[in-house]
Amino acid sequence: MKYFDGGIEVLNIINQNGYDAYFIGGVVRDYLLNLKINDIDIATNMPIEKLKNLFKINDNGLKYGSVIIYYKEFSFEITHFRKDINYLDHRHPQIEYVDCLSEDVKRRDFTINALAMDKDKKVIDLVQGLADLNNKIIRCINNPDQSFNEDALRILRALYFSSKLGFKIEEETLNSMIKFKYLLANLSNERIYYYFIKILYANFDLGLEYIHRYDLFSHISDFKNWLNIVKNTYNLADLGIYYFYKYNKFAPICNSLCKKRCKIFKDLIDSNFSNYFIYLYQNEIKSLIDVFANVGYNSNLLKNKIANLKLHDDKELAVSKAEIAKMFNGQMISIAIKEVIIAILDGKIANTKKDILIFLEGLDVIKC
């Protein structure tokens, strides 16, 4: 069974139990544009408690009137018809349940995202969304000043849909986005990053053009900086490293793995790609080779340095680490092993038992 057909069955089940239910938002938009449907949202006036009697449910979003239902092999987000009131932080509204679709539609962001569809695939258009869809326009449903002042995330969503669909942003909507761009500073870095990446890697560059032309990121300077240095051809996993290289600080979103890769990148550059750091990070360099190339380092030279190392693994040492450990105490063990490896890599001694033992005898740490 296809995802969309499974959703039609869910609508039928709810209708057969005496309640209204419609596909709403992106699923209708993408269906009409013949795009792949990844998520299906359903709006209904069936109480959540009654939905629980019909479907297996995840109710983590219940405070916003939404639940995830599971039907056959699919999942769907179902939201009770509602209206949003009293936005407290330019983001999160208090909600009030209502009984009709027409009231629910008024709370949505853009006309193309407010189209509904019933179980017979009939489109319900209460806000001229079909006209904007045909004309490739992104337009706020309500007064745009009110809309963006209520929820600043809508600015990023407008940019994303422009980038995803190749649609232009209607003039009044765009002017209001420019007016309220300062509210983006109220959003969490995580939320901005989510849309930042979606805009950067979308099918069209319209969103990026709007950002640059109207300086829409002027109040989220870290992301403005990031946008100025990255290209949509860059690997997503490497974006944090480019930011670190340019500004010598971690990007606004950088997890522990990203920070580790940034440190390795910095160590290699700071050491001027010494033999020891090439040896130490030879596996990591392979995953960073494109990053180095994009910031001006010779990737072939790095590959040759790895290939020509006189030692690739400490197991290749003519005197084992265990044997060296017997000659030293405490932290001097690791120091001695490191010094032996450096000496071999730099060609100061050969990787023979005789040369290594002579070298160890001459180390200052042996007297400690």
Side-chain angles (χ1 to χ4, degrees), residues 42 67 73 82 122 189 200 209 315 324 330 350 354 357:
I42 296 171
V67 295
E73 67 265 41
R82 74 189 196 204
K122 176 185 175 183
N189 281 343
L200 189 65
E209 291 174 10
K315 293 178 182 178
I324 296 174
K354 177 181 178 182
L357 291 176

Side-chain angles (χ1 to χ4, degrees), residues 158-170:
L159 294 168
Y160 164 61
F161 290 121
S162 178
S163 296
K164 175 184 177 179
L165 304 172
F167 284 17
K168 291 185 178 180
I169 300 173
E170 178 267 335

Side-chain angles (χ1 to χ4, degrees), residues 87-334:
Y87 281 77
L88 302 177
D89 55 1
H90 303 290
R91 178 73 186 97
H92 300 102
Q94 294 176 304
I95 65 170
E96 180 180 302
Y97 290 153
V98 294
D99 195 52
C100 59
L101 175 67
S102 60
E103 191 69 29
D104 182 84
V105 163
K106 294 177 185 177
R107 72 180 179 83
R108 298 181 180 272
D109 50 11
F110 310 114
T111 59
I112 62 171
N113 293 337
L115 298 168
M117 180 182 286
D118 67 14
K119 62 181 177 58
D120 299 316
K121 301 183 182 178
K122 176 185 175 183
V123 176
I124 298 94
D125 180 12
L126 304 175
V127 292
Q128 288 75 55
L130 284 173
D132 285 340
L133 200 67
N134 290 330
N135 293 320
K136 300 186 176 182
I137 294 293
I138 295 169
R139 183 195 314 270
C140 284
I141 293 172
N142 303 305
N143 177 284
D145 279 4
Q146 175 187 339
S147 185
F148 294 121
N149 188 50
E150 286 175 344
D151 187 353
L153 187 66
R154 289 170 176 161
I155 297 173
L156 297 180
R157 285 175 58 79
L159 294 168
Y160 164 61
F161 290 121
S162 178
S163 296
K164 175 184 177 179
L165 304 172
F167 284 17
K168 291 185 178 180
I169 300 173
E170 178 267 335
E171 185 177 1
E172 189 179 358
T173 298
L174 178 60
N175 288 338
S176 189
M177 290 168 60
I178 298 168
K179 179 179 178 180
F180 288 97
K181 63 184 179 180
Y182 70 92
L183 292 177
L184 290 176
N186 294 332
L187 300 176
S188 70
N189 281 343
E190 288 76 13
R191 182 59 68 177
I192 297 172
Y193 180 79
Y194 175 78
Y195 279 99
F196 173 83
I197 295 302
K198 288 165 77 75
I199 293 166
L200 189 65
Y201 288 94
N203 295 326
F204 300 90
D205 289 332
L206 279 176
L208 295 173
E209 291 174 10
Y210 283 122
I211 293 169
H212 288 301
R213 189 182 309 158
Y214 301 106
D215 203 12
L216 294 177
F217 279 11
S218 58
H219 295 275
I220 45 174
S221 57
D222 279 345
F223 286 92
K224 179 181 177 180
N225 290 341
W226 206 343
L227 197 60
N228 287 335
I229 62 172
V230 299
K231 303 174 184 176
N232 56 15
T233 54
Y234 285 174
N235 185 302
L236 177 59
D238 296 334
L239 293 185
I241 302 176
Y242 291 115
Y243 190 96
F244 184 84
Y245 175 76
K246 177 69 174 180
Y247 297 106
N248 197 30
K249 65 177 182 177
F250 294 126
I253 295 294
C254 191
N255 60 23
S256 57
L257 177 59
C258 172
K259 291 178 180 178
K260 179 181 177 182
R261 296 180 81 226
C262 287
K263 181 183 182 302
I264 291 171
F265 192 81
K266 185 176 187 299
D267 284 347
L268 285 162
I269 292 175
D270 288 351
S271 74
N272 196 27
F273 301 95
S274 70
N275 289 324
Y276 179 71
F277 278 99
I278 293 287
Y279 162 83
L280 194 63
Y281 297 131
Q282 55 191 295
N283 292 324
E284 288 83 354
I285 290 172
K286 294 172 185 177
S287 71
L288 293 170
I289 204 76
D290 289 338
V291 188
F292 282 117
N294 277 326
V295 297
Y297 291 94
N298 189 321
S299 57
N300 288 327
L301 184 61
L302 289 175
K303 291 176 184 177
N304 289 335
K305 280 201 165 210
I306 293 173
N308 294 326
L309 286 174
K310 298 181 184 299
L311 195 68
H312 287 90
D313 192 298
D314 56 30
K315 293 178 182 178
E316 299 172 10
L317 287 170
V319 178
S320 71
K321 290 165 63 177
E323 291 177 279
I324 296 174
K326 293 177 182 178
M327 303 173 63
F328 300 93
N329 296 313
Q331 65 181 9
M332 298 309 165
I333 296 174
S334 60

